[in-house]
Amino acid sequence: MNSTIMRLQSVVFLSLGVVSSFLISSCNDDRKSTDNEPQELKTHVVDSTSAINAEFEGKIFSIPSPVQTAILLKQASGSFNAELINPAENADKYSTTYSRALNLGVYGADLGYATLFGQQKESMNYLKALQTLADGLSIAGAFDKSFAERFERNMNQQDSLLIIVQDAYRTGDNFLKNNKQKDISSLILAGGWIESMYFACQLNALQSNPQIIERIGEQKQSLETLLSILSGYNTDNMNDALLNDLNEINDLFKEVQFSYTFREPVTDASNHITTLNHDSSVIMSDELVVAITEKISALRNNIIG
């Protein structure tokens, strides 16, 4: 795989996938990593247009295609926009389990965005924010001093960063699952999804982009699954307000329509890569895109306070 695409693929997993991989059982492999050596990701089949489907509690959860989303972020924004992300210093003000879990998901997406644009200082600030929230959730071991040192040593090796952060989230995930705290895991997932959607909506609002609109519309199924997960782990009705807001967004997504045309896969024998190609399109009116953007923005800003 082209090294530039590989780096883009790796870093966007941090932004849109690593929080999901924290929770999704299909990502629990036995891959080992070293501190200083980048590792090649064993990706041999790339779907150039559709989302990635993974499993959580027997349910399919869809996250955007990492290659295309990374390219879209680069094309749409061109440069780092600090106003898009939740300031790292806000971590200290989240004092409840609910707010800490949601914003741990938010900060996971923000870390990926900062890393995508090579913002090393910002990335380290977000590592500290993750440590603060993880400590408040009693999963501090996932983002401890050794993790921060390992991340800093590999700052320029984005393939390695993906593995390092996945390992940290997996450590936290195992702790939560073993201690029957899947309600917290579901909130972290929700925070990451909402922040990722916020990025897409805001970038499209700055300059309308049909491909980003496709990515937004493709999240229709993801939202339905997220609602199911949050409903199933709604301890003491903690998620009621969040579920109400997400259901309002889901009502809008019900207006999204899809079309699909199959095309033959293309195989690059020399690189051992098969690319799945098909034409799929999302049908959304301009008014619907604006309405979804407004709802996502309001919910996200309420979460970060």
Side-chain angles (χ1 to χ4, degrees):
M1 180 178 292
N2 180 276
S3 60
T4 300
I5 295 298
M6 179 70 78
R7 287 193 297 271
L8 287 171
Q9 177 175 352
S10 300
V11 75
V12 83
F13 264 117
L14 292 171
S15 179
L16 296 175
V18 74
V19 176
S20 297
S21 73
F22 170 35
L23 307 166
I24 295 170
S25 59
S26 64
C27 292
N28 288 337
D29 55 40
D30 295 322
R31 181 172 51 214
K32 303 296 182 182
S33 61
T34 60
D35 285 351
N36 298 307
E37 248 179 74
Q39 296 190 12
E40 181 182 0
L41 304 182
K42 305 302 183 182
T43 302
H44 299 295
V45 178
V46 177
D47 189 332
S48 64
T49 57
S50 70
I52 292 174
N53 291 324
E55 185 178 343
F56 177 79
E57 291 298 297
K59 302 178 186 299
I60 298 299
F61 191 84
S62 181
I63 55 178
S65 164
V67 175
Q68 279 213 344
T69 304
I71 295 171
L72 287 176
L73 283 172
K74 281 287 192 181
Q75 290 176 341
S77 58
S79 60
F80 179 71
N81 183 354
E83 294 181 359
L84 278 180
I85 50 183
N86 182 16
E89 57 267 24
N90 282 348
D92 291 326
K93 73 180 184 180
Y94 304 127
S95 58
T96 67
T97 296
Y98 178 81
S99 63
R100 285 168 177 163
L102 279 173
N103 281 285
L104 183 58
V106 168
Y107 279 140
D110 291 341
L111 171 63
Y113 178 73
T115 306
L116 174 65
F117 286 96
Q119 301 294 309
Q120 295 189 5
K121 181 179 178 180
E122 290 283 353
S123 296
M124 295 308 298
N125 287 338
Y126 281 103
L127 282 178
K128 294 177 182 177
L130 289 172
Q131 289 173 314
T132 297
L133 296 181
D135 184 56
L137 294 170
S138 300
I139 54 173
F143 299 98
D144 58 13
K145 182 180 178 180
S146 63
F147 166 80
E149 291 174 346
R150 188 179 172 202
F151 187 96
E152 189 170 11
R153 286 198 301 271
N154 289 273
M155 187 67 73
N156 295 319
Q157 304 292 346
Q158 292 174 346
D159 295 351
S160 291
L161 291 183
L162 170 65
I163 297 169
I164 291 167
V165 179
Q166 281 185 334
D167 286 347
Y169 271 102
R170 187 179 298 115
T171 298
D173 184 40
N174 288 337
F175 177 88
L176 292 172
K177 286 180 177 178
N178 291 337
N179 287 275
K180 302 185 185 302
Q181 297 182 71
K182 292 181 180 179
D183 52 344
I184 297 176
S185 290
S186 66
L187 287 170
I188 297 171
L189 175 62
W193 184 86
I194 291 165
E195 184 76 341
S196 299
M197 283 291 292
Y198 176 77
F199 286 160
C201 289
Q202 291 302 307
L203 290 172
N204 183 70
L206 289 172
Q207 183 172 354
S208 182
N209 185 314
Q211 292 176 299
I212 292 181
I213 292 173
E214 290 272 338
R215 288 293 163 269
I216 293 171
E218 286 172 355
Q219 293 305 296
K220 178 178 181 177
Q221 179 184 348
S222 300
L223 179 53
E224 291 176 352
T225 306
L226 181 59
L227 283 165
S228 178
I229 292 171
L230 289 170
S231 297
Y233 295 105
N234 191 13
T235 304
D236 298 326
N237 298 317
M238 178 172 61
N239 301 338
D240 282 357
L242 178 61
L243 283 166
N244 182 65
D245 289 333
L246 288 173
N247 272 310
E248 290 183 2
I249 296 170
N250 193 44
D251 286 340
L252 294 173
F253 267 99
K254 290 177 181 177
E255 300 179 34
V256 176
Q257 299 179 349
F258 300 92
S259 66
Y260 176 90
T261 303
F262 173 79
R263 292 185 182 278
E264 290 292 332
V266 176
T267 299
D268 181 350
S270 61
N271 290 313
H272 306 288
I273 297 172
T274 296
T275 300
L276 307 179
N277 292 300
H278 54 259
D279 292 334
S280 62
S281 61
V282 172
I283 303 171
M284 301 172 66
S285 67
D286 292 342
E287 292 78 13
L288 181 57
V289 174
V290 170
I292 290 174
T293 297
E294 290 176 350
K295 288 286 188 181
I296 288 287
S297 297
L299 173 56
R300 182 266 188 181
N301 290 333
N302 182 56
I303 288 171
I304 71 171

